[in-house]
Amino acid sequence: MNTTSECIYGFNKSNVHFEERNNENTSNEKNSKSLTTSKIDKAPKGTLVYRSKYFYPFFANSINDRVLSSHTYGHLLPSQKFKRNEITKFNRFTKPLNNIEDALTLLPPSKETALSQVETYFDSVHSIIPILSKSEIVKILHRLEDTGYHEENINVLNLLLIMALFFCSSYAAVASGIIPDLLLCNKYYAGYRLLLDVSEFPFRPRLESLKAFTIVNFIVDPNMVDATAYSSMLVRMGQQLGLHKMDDIQSKLLWGYLLYLEGSASVVSGFPYFTPENLIVESVLPPPESKDQNGLSVAYTVGRLKINAVFKDVMDLSGREAILESDFLSTKNRITELYSEILEIKEVLRIEFPLHFTYFSSTLLVFLYRVHLRYAALSYGHSRRDKLLRKTEHHIASAQPIDITSSLTTSPNYGDEVIHLSLLLLFQTYERLVQENTTDLAWYTRGSTVMQYLFVIIKDLYQSELKPCKFEDFSEPMNKTMNADIEEILEKDPVFFKIVLIDHIIGLLELKLAALWSDEDLYKFVLIKAIKEKVWQVFKDHLKQNEGKLEKISKCRLFACGEKHLQNLKSISFEDYIDNSEPEIVLLEMNKTLMNWINDLQG
């Protein structure tokens, strides 16, 4: 009927819609309650937030403080020129269904439809988190069908696992753009939440509820940003179920994955691991050549678990007041060994995953560089201090105009090792972003939040006055991880390749991932893009004089591949991200934060 306004009844819409509805009919008690609830401050004045000095170690202190204590992300409302994916509206605290009968009505009407959802899950999710057996899932579906979907004959744990799987498959489909909205997702999630309660999770350790909770929360939060508390609980549940004592491949993979979740959540928070050393024993890992319960190679998972074990050593050192030189050297040697192990796993991936080889191998190398960078941050962050931050009133001080020329005049704070690792991490992220046939993995790729490392390189570019970076400058372990495409770029021009790399990476992130990010990640990306544009303005004469060099560099194989994607990018300006409703407040707050960042470049 050519109606452009969105329907309110029966859908989960944003608070904006509730406010509009409330204004239309102030006597409507239900909408008034919804409006009141939405206004609750979930982090009231006086709330304490702990910040480890290893939280975003390569951002400066003021940036970290802003990320943790600022509540201005809610004001970041991208305009209609920038359409975000619907998964950014997903609410994990949505109301559960009322009863099991309602959950049963969500099961697909035909066996073919149900099996199609199972296929979607194993195509989009299983290769990343291989803890389910396809044959067991199909058997469960057959059993549910045999019961005639009668509540009294239903195995709640089996139904919970199916509901979790259907949620994950539909969520992955929304992230990849196949499904346009969260309607189906929200229904499955509401069913999952009900069944999780019925199964008495987490008070009754059961394998099915453990698996269901793990896959759902990982697909929603692949970077484990919100997993610090529950990840330790999952390890304990795994112990109660005896996973750490079992020898079958399925139990080993699930146990290893629980350890990985706890480790990753610790790294994100800047904390030492909670899991004790005796539970993280690499010798119990299956060989990279092994197959999982579905006959799929476990090489990628084994690589991540090996990196997770070394991350534990690094994060343990980060929790100490003083580090013995022998421990520091021992960890460095362990990282060197890890390079060789990951390169061996790459060769297994080349054989087992020919279609997605570059995607998986690049992802492993990103994790490898990150553990090395965290090791480097041990000395870089030594002068920092842990902090307890207190939330204050929402007063915004005015920011002075930014004079970038006078602000960026001091020598760099980062050593060559950090610069080289950050460059390689950006190169491998670039490789991930230009791979074809990986749309179904968009939910996972969105974890490529590399703003911290872009910040490192942009900062170094200015302060080192375009210092060259050649292939032979990198250490031997790093050199061995470079492919021919990266070597070609370094040989073409050791200075201006960084300009092209940064421009392309920012463009690819905006094109492929920005629409999938949370407000916090989008906020950091907008600021990185803004600071890059201001630094490029300082370099404008250099860039103008070297247009020919930049064009030649862009013709290198990897960059040429990226340019094919970037042809579809209609770049959005800094101001275009902001909704017109509160532009002054948002731009003022962003300008203030940007000023902090640029001042931090002075050391």
Side-chain angles (χ1 to χ4, degrees), residues 230-269:
Y230 74 69
S231 60
S232 298
M233 174 191 74
L234 297 182
V235 174
R236 283 301 196 192
M237 290 186 70
Q239 281 184 285
Q240 286 183 288
L241 292 166
L243 293 175
H244 59 307
K245 298 292 186 181
M246 297 182 183
D247 292 326
D248 63 288
I249 187 71
Q250 192 167 350
S251 297
K252 280 189 172 185
L253 290 175
L254 178 56
W255 176 243
Y257 215 89
L258 298 180
L259 297 179
Y260 171 76
L261 290 178
E262 196 277 313
S264 296
S266 298
V267 172
V268 169
S269 301

Side-chain angles (χ1 to χ4, degrees), residues 348-366:
V348 179
L349 290 171
R350 191 186 304 277
I351 298 169
E352 297 292 344
F353 294 96
L355 183 62
H356 291 152
F357 161 68
T358 302
Y359 181 88
F360 285 125
S361 61
S362 294
T363 305
L364 276 186
L365 288 175
V366 167

Side-chain angles (χ1 to χ4, degrees), residues 179-313:
I179 297 179
D181 57 51
L182 287 170
L183 186 60
L184 190 59
C185 251
N186 288 336
K187 288 181 177 180
Y188 286 139
Y189 189 77
Y192 153 82
R193 285 202 68 192
L194 164 73
L195 295 164
L196 203 62
D197 289 340
V198 173
S199 69
E200 300 179 288
F201 181 90
F203 305 105
R204 298 287 182 269
R206 294 183 173 110
L207 200 59
E208 294 86 353
S209 57
L210 176 62
K211 289 179 179 179
F213 185 90
T214 300
I215 61 175
V216 166
N217 283 279
F218 181 70
I219 198 170
V220 170
D221 180 22
N223 281 352
M224 275 67 77
V225 173
D226 299 318
T228 307
Y230 74 69
S231 60
S232 298
M233 174 191 74
L234 297 182
V235 174
R236 283 301 196 192
M237 290 186 70
Q239 281 184 285
Q240 286 183 288
L241 292 166
L243 293 175
H244 59 307
K245 298 292 186 181
M246 297 182 183
D247 292 326
D248 63 288
I249 187 71
Q250 192 167 350
S251 297
K252 280 189 172 185
L253 290 175
L254 178 56
W255 176 243
Y257 215 89
L258 298 180
L259 297 179
Y260 171 76
L261 290 178
E262 196 277 313
S264 296
S266 298
V267 172
V268 169
S269 301
F271 297 149
Y273 287 24
F274 253 41
T275 306
E277 184 71 37
N278 65 308
L279 291 179
I280 304 182
V281 182
E282 287 189 73
S283 60
V284 304
L285 289 178
E289 299 81 10
S290 303
K291 308 285 185 181
D292 70 5
Q293 57 270 26
N294 303 303
L296 191 71
S297 169
V298 300
Y300 176 67
T301 298
V302 169
R304 284 190 302 164
L305 298 184
K306 283 181 174 289
I307 293 170
N308 182 59
V310 178
F311 249 129
K312 176 175 173 53
D313 295 341

Side-chain angles (χ1 to χ4, degrees), residues 337-584:
E337 292 172 7
L338 184 62
Y339 272 82
S340 298
E341 293 171 2
I342 296 303
L343 289 175
E344 290 174 5
I345 290 174
K346 273 189 64 180
E347 294 310 307
V348 179
L349 290 171
R350 191 186 304 277
I351 298 169
E352 297 292 344
F353 294 96
L355 183 62
H356 291 152
F357 161 68
T358 302
Y359 181 88
F360 285 125
S361 61
S362 294
T363 305
L364 276 186
L365 288 175
V366 167
F367 288 138
L368 174 63
Y369 300 141
R370 281 189 167 176
V371 73
H372 198 162
L373 279 159
R374 278 289 174 145
Y375 171 79
L378 291 174
S379 56
Y380 172 75
H382 183 68
S383 60
R384 296 187 177 202
R385 292 291 179 267
D386 298 326
K387 284 187 177 182
L388 273 175
L389 304 174
R390 188 178 296 275
K391 179 179 178 285
T392 58
E393 297 283 4
H394 292 290
H395 295 313
I396 301 172
S398 60
Q400 299 299 318
I402 298 170
D403 181 0
I404 203 161
T405 304
S406 62
S407 296
L408 306 177
T409 55
T410 58
S411 60
N413 295 323
Y414 305 120
D416 287 343
E417 184 178 56
V418 169
I419 302 304
H420 295 163
L421 286 166
S422 297
L423 285 170
L424 290 178
L425 189 149
L426 294 177
F427 270 125
Q428 295 301 335
T429 300
Y430 194 112
E431 294 268 17
R432 290 186 85 202
L433 294 175
V434 298
Q435 294 309 302
E436 305 292 345
N437 304 314
T438 57
T439 305
D440 54 345
L441 295 172
W443 68 269
Y444 185 58
T445 312
R446 83 177 193 271
S448 294
T449 52
V450 296
M451 283 72 86
Q452 184 175 189
Y453 308 104
L454 282 166
F455 181 76
V456 167
I457 300 304
I458 294 171
K459 169 184 176 179
D460 180 70
L461 258 177
Y462 186 89
Q463 295 188 335
S464 63
E465 298 183 355
L466 300 175
K467 177 183 175 182
C469 186
K470 302 177 181 178
F471 176 81
E472 55 267 25
D473 295 333
F474 291 77
S475 69
E476 184 180 356
M478 293 185 211
N479 280 341
K480 290 180 179 178
T481 63
M482 295 189 209
N483 59 25
D485 287 349
I486 297 175
E487 289 185 38
E488 178 194 18
I489 291 168
L490 294 176
E491 291 173 2
K492 182 68 69 174
D493 190 290
V495 174
F496 286 98
F497 83 86
K498 300 175 192 176
I499 302 291
V500 179
L501 176 62
I502 291 170
D503 274 337
H504 278 209
I505 280 280
I506 288 178
L508 289 168
L509 290 171
E510 185 172 327
L511 179 68
K512 304 268 189 174
L513 303 183
L516 296 161
W517 282 337
S518 66
D519 284 351
E520 183 177 311
D521 287 331
L522 185 58
Y523 182 88
K524 287 180 284 188
F525 175 71
V526 170
L527 289 171
I528 279 292
K529 184 173 181 180
I531 196 171
K532 187 273 297 187
E533 290 171 354
K534 291 179 180 296
V535 172
W536 264 222
Q537 184 64 27
V538 174
F539 285 151
K540 63 181 180 181
D541 291 338
H542 287 288
L543 299 179
K544 183 70 174 176
Q545 295 166 8
N546 292 278
E547 283 181 348
K549 285 184 179 180
L550 294 171
E551 187 175 343
K552 288 180 181 178
I553 297 167
S554 297
K555 295 185 184 300
C556 291
R557 285 187 297 271
L558 181 58
F559 287 155
C561 183
E563 286 205 321
K564 291 179 183 178
H565 293 261
L566 292 171
Q567 288 174 0
N568 300 319
L569 174 66
K570 296 178 180 178
S571 188
I572 303 167
S573 71
F574 180 61
E575 289 78 9
D576 282 341
Y577 279 92
I578 311 306
D579 190 272
N580 289 327
S581 59
E582 297 183 75
E584 294 85 5

